[in-house]
Amino acid sequence: MPEITVTEHLLAAQMEWSPKATGQFTSLLHDLIVSAKIISRNVKQAGLVDILGGTGEVNVQGERVQKLDEFANKTLVYRMRTCGAVCALGSEELEEPLIIPPEESSGSYIIYFDPLDGSSNIDVNVSIGTIFSIYRRREDATEPFRAERMLRPCDTQVAAGYFLYGPSTMMVYTTGHGVNGFTLDPSIGEFLLSHPNMQIAPRGAIYSVNASYDRFWDEATRECVDSFCHPAGGQPYSLRYVGSLVADFHRTLLYGGIFMYPADTRKPDGKLRLMYEAAPMAFLAEQAGGKATDGVHRILDKTPLSIHERTPLIIGSSEDVDHVADIYRRHGRG
Ligand code: AHM
Ligand code: MG
């Protein structure tokens, strides 16, 4: 297969789907990719920081204060703020949305990101990632942007994806015309198309859930997980749980199966954030032929009431997600 860079792929897709594109979206994606390359470089040196003398700031106690998740957040905020295509951004690391004044940027896009998802895995050298979700602003770009306009229906995303910092660095994204995956070739500094037109198998053989929370689950969730572990008359599904959503979702996309972060008594709305985690992964899952629900509602049918809203997430192969939804329905949910 000839080598195709992510930018070449994006430009070709734009010629096909949006021939009148102004270039703003391409510029946004370009700056997002540069941010991810910078974050990836620092992630790859994570264990070396102390040996190399440390790259972070040092506080009065002599502690390195710029942790990787803060670094990732600063990198993305700076690049998204200055790329000229963004009017507002929401970061999982920022309490409030950042509205970019019109004199600074007349961008037409809103971006949400989780700068470094799975950050509890950084210090143990396990895969982590950056997740992004992009919406187009609806009103005239000369009007000041109001924060409540961040609360967009999840099915109005124009693009979503993630960067996975694993043994190799990957970018997987969709603009609503299928899902494509690219692998960073460090020798040329480019993401090359490695996984064209990704599809989730209709049914998998792996389930992924933090099973030690079973005491906090309700009967319906226990029955769902039990049905994967002890299926009537079939082989048990294997259990895999990295604890980084990007890594767990990436495996589900490639191998099929199901990932669940359900509601429980300690977290009645689940743990994952709708706008930074669930909605972008749901867009990718559906574009790859899979499904995503909160147990009752399709994730993409949801509209947040606040930017940091949480949601239960059940995502993956369509038949496996339907199976869980059936069990929830039988228990009177929905
Ligand atoms: P984070 O945004 O603080 O990194 O938390 C999100 C992560 C997800 O990547 C992962 O799916 C989940 O938290 C794991 O949570 P738990 O340790 O409760 O199983
Ligand atoms: Mg996260």
Side-chain angles (χ1 to χ4, degrees):
M1 157 163 100
E3 288 168 350
I4 301 171
T5 69
V6 61
T7 313
E8 286 166 346
H9 189 270
L10 176 68
L11 289 173
Q14 282 208 330
M15 292 281 279
E16 188 174 350
W17 305 111
S18 346
K20 294 196 186 127
T22 59
Q24 263 203 35
F25 183 73
T26 315
S27 137
L28 196 172
L29 256 280
H30 172 267
D31 277 53
L32 200 54
I33 290 166
V34 173
S35 308
K37 286 181 192 170
I38 293 170
I39 296 167
S40 174
R41 179 200 62 200
N42 282 34
V43 166
K44 303 275 170 191
Q45 295 189 338
L48 292 170
V49 168
D50 296 331
I51 298 173
L52 298 177
T55 52
E57 299 149 10
V58 173
N59 68 12
V60 283
Q61 278 88 35
E63 293 160 344
R64 184 167 53 84
V65 290
Q66 192 170 21
K67 301 202 307 275
L68 262 179
D69 41 7
E70 291 165 19
F71 174 81
N73 185 51
K74 279 188 185 166
T75 303
L76 279 160
V77 168
Y78 170 74
R79 296 230 160 235
M80 292 299 97
R81 191 176 183 146
T82 54
C83 74
V86 170
C87 59
L89 63 86
S91 164
E92 209 199 75
E93 296 286 327
L94 300 178
E95 203 63 47
E96 300 293 334
L98 179 66
I99 311 297
I100 302 163
E103 58 278 13
E104 223 181 278
S105 167
S106 56
S108 311
Y109 293 95
I110 301 161
I111 183 164
Y112 280 94
F113 50 79
D114 182 352
L116 212 52
D117 176 69
S119 44
S120 65
N121 277 323
I122 297 173
D123 290 338
V124 287
N125 207 3
V126 169
S127 297
I128 47 183
T130 296
I131 310 172
F132 62 90
S133 163
I134 300 169
Y135 296 79
R136 189 193 293 277
R137 84 179 281 186
R138 279 179 300 202
E139 65 297 321
D140 193 334
T142 51
E143 258 183 63
F145 185 83
R146 294 209 309 273
E148 60 272 21
R149 293 193 172 145
M150 300 282 294
L151 304 175
R152 302 289 302 276
C154 297
D155 68 354
T156 59
Q157 290 174 91
V158 294
Y162 56 83
F163 297 91
L164 170 64
Y165 312 113
S168 57
T169 295
M170 281 197 71
M171 173 181 181
V172 174
Y173 86 106
T174 182
T175 54
H177 304 287
V179 179
N180 289 286
F182 302 80
T183 303
L184 182 63
D185 179 341
S187 65
I188 56 168
E190 293 280 5
F191 281 98
L192 300 176
L193 181 63
S194 51
H195 296 67
N197 191 21
M198 299 171 88
Q199 294 284 319
I200 305 186
R203 193 169 166 203
I206 296 174
Y207 72 104
S208 187
V209 66
N210 192 332
S212 70
Y213 296 159
D214 65 340
R215 77 198 71 170
F216 307 119
W217 295 339
D218 63 9
E219 270 309 304
T221 303
R222 266 192 219 118
E223 187 180 325
C224 294
V225 174
D226 193 59
S227 70
F228 292 118
C229 195
H230 306 103
Q235 288 294 319
Y237 279 41
S238 290
L239 170 62
R240 297 280 185 275
Y241 191 74
V242 178
S244 290
L245 176 65
V246 174
D248 282 316
F249 178 79
H250 189 67
R251 184 199 54 250
T252 307
L253 182 59
L254 290 178
Y255 289 173
I258 193 159
F259 170 88
M260 299 177 60
Y261 205 114
D264 65 34
T265 51
R266 293 181 315 170
K267 301 186 185 98
D269 297 317
K271 176 183 181 187
L272 301 176
R273 314 279 184 149
L274 180 61
M275 301 310 272
Y276 311 102
E277 291 163 327
M281 295 314 198
F283 191 17
L284 288 163
E286 289 200 3
Q287 284 294 315
K291 289 193 175 175
T293 164
D294 65 4
V296 177
H297 306 287
R298 175 179 172 247
I299 294 289
L300 293 184
D301 283 339
K302 297 180 82 152
T303 302
L305 295 173
S306 72
I307 62 166
H308 293 298
E309 185 169 312
R310 295 175 196 269
T311 178
L313 176 64
I314 293 128
I315 191 166
S317 293
S318 55
E319 290 174 21
D320 291 321
V321 174
D322 284 345
H323 169 73
V324 168
D326 285 348
I327 294 176
Y328 279 149
R329 247 190 311 274
R330 242 191 306 110
H331 281 263
R333 295 226 209 142

